[in-house]
Amino acid sequence: FSFLLLGIVFLSRVGFLEIVRGDSFLERAETNYIREVTYETERGIILDRDKNPLTFNEIDENNEEKKWIRSYAAEGFLHSIGFVSRKENKYLAKGTSGLELVYDSILGGLPEKLIEEVSAVGGVVGSGITEKGREGNNILTSISSGLSLLLSRSVAKTAGIYGFSGGAAVVLNPQNGEV
């Protein structure tokens, strides 16, 4: 008896959805479409030996989508830290030189991917996560930010005195080879 009752309830619900709401479901199916949206997760921070940040992340407020902007210390580190680019994928910053490139798999994390149902006029009708994102991990370096800044300023001063357009210097720890 319970099987028969369950069958009647099921068939009446199917009938209601097909007969009463069928036209609205047909219209929705014909005018809506599905799109995949990728949201970038926060990139890991590069830290000096004293855990001072050498890179910074900010949310781009001028963008409709969630987009992280990577910024760097004003001087003294760019040659070793490197930088990121969105040349290959506008939704995902990738390291292209220096520590940003070497440790990209650690710093980068994984983007979050969503599927959105979009109406004919562009409004989001529904959405769901297809892949959960993961923020990037921080890395701790042996760089001394104070010493690097002094060295950078000293090289710039010396280059200015002798009319050079630039210069380079490296400080190594003779006990363990740290840069």
Side-chain angles (χ1 to χ4, degrees):
F1 176 72
S2 61
F3 181 71
L4 180 62
L5 182 61
L6 184 64
I8 292 171
V9 170
F10 178 73
L11 287 176
S12 63
R13 182 66 181 160
V14 168
F16 170 76
L17 292 175
E18 184 64 34
I19 295 168
V20 177
R21 305 273 322 270
D23 290 338
S24 67
F25 287 137
L26 178 63
E27 181 183 340
R28 183 174 173 182
E30 289 177 343
T31 59
N32 292 358
Y33 64 94
I34 300 293
R35 71 176 172 201
E36 184 176 88
V37 181
T38 302
Y39 291 101
E40 184 176 26
T41 55
E42 186 171 6
R43 192 168 175 83
I45 302 296
I46 298 174
L47 304 166
D48 77 355
R49 69 180 328 123
D50 299 317
K51 298 184 181 175
N52 297 312
L54 301 175
T55 59
F56 308 91
N57 295 321
E58 306 170 25
I59 291 278
D60 183 0
E61 299 294 335
N62 299 325
N63 198 335
E64 189 176 290
E65 300 161 348
K66 183 179 178 183
K67 186 175 176 184
W68 290 94
I69 301 296
R70 188 72 154 182
S71 58
Y72 302 92
E75 61 178 321
F77 306 102
L78 292 180
H79 62 283
S80 57
I81 292 174
F83 59 94
V84 296
S85 171
R86 286 187 174 78
K87 186 176 182 178
E88 293 177 25
N89 182 343
K90 71 177 185 174
Y91 300 110
L92 184 61
K94 300 290 277 179
T96 56
S97 68
L99 294 174
E100 292 278 18
L101 174 61
V102 172
Y103 294 104
D104 188 61
S105 62
I106 296 169
L107 293 165
L110 295 172
E112 187 168 276
K113 295 184 179 180
L114 287 90
I115 288 182
E116 293 181 339
E117 182 180 358
V118 182
S119 69
V121 295
V124 175
V125 177
S127 66
I129 295 176
T130 58
E131 290 181 34
K132 183 87 172 114
R134 177 184 50 82
E135 290 182 354
N137 294 312
N138 298 343
I139 61 168
L140 182 65
T141 67
S142 62
I143 295 171
S144 169
S145 58
L147 184 59
S148 291
L149 282 173
L150 286 173
L151 189 59
S152 173
R153 291 174 183 153
S154 176
V155 167
K157 182 178 176 183
T158 303
I161 290 171
Y162 293 102
F164 299 141
S165 60
V170 176
V171 176
L172 297 174
N173 182 336
Q175 264 80 42
N176 58 20
E178 282 182 345
V179 177

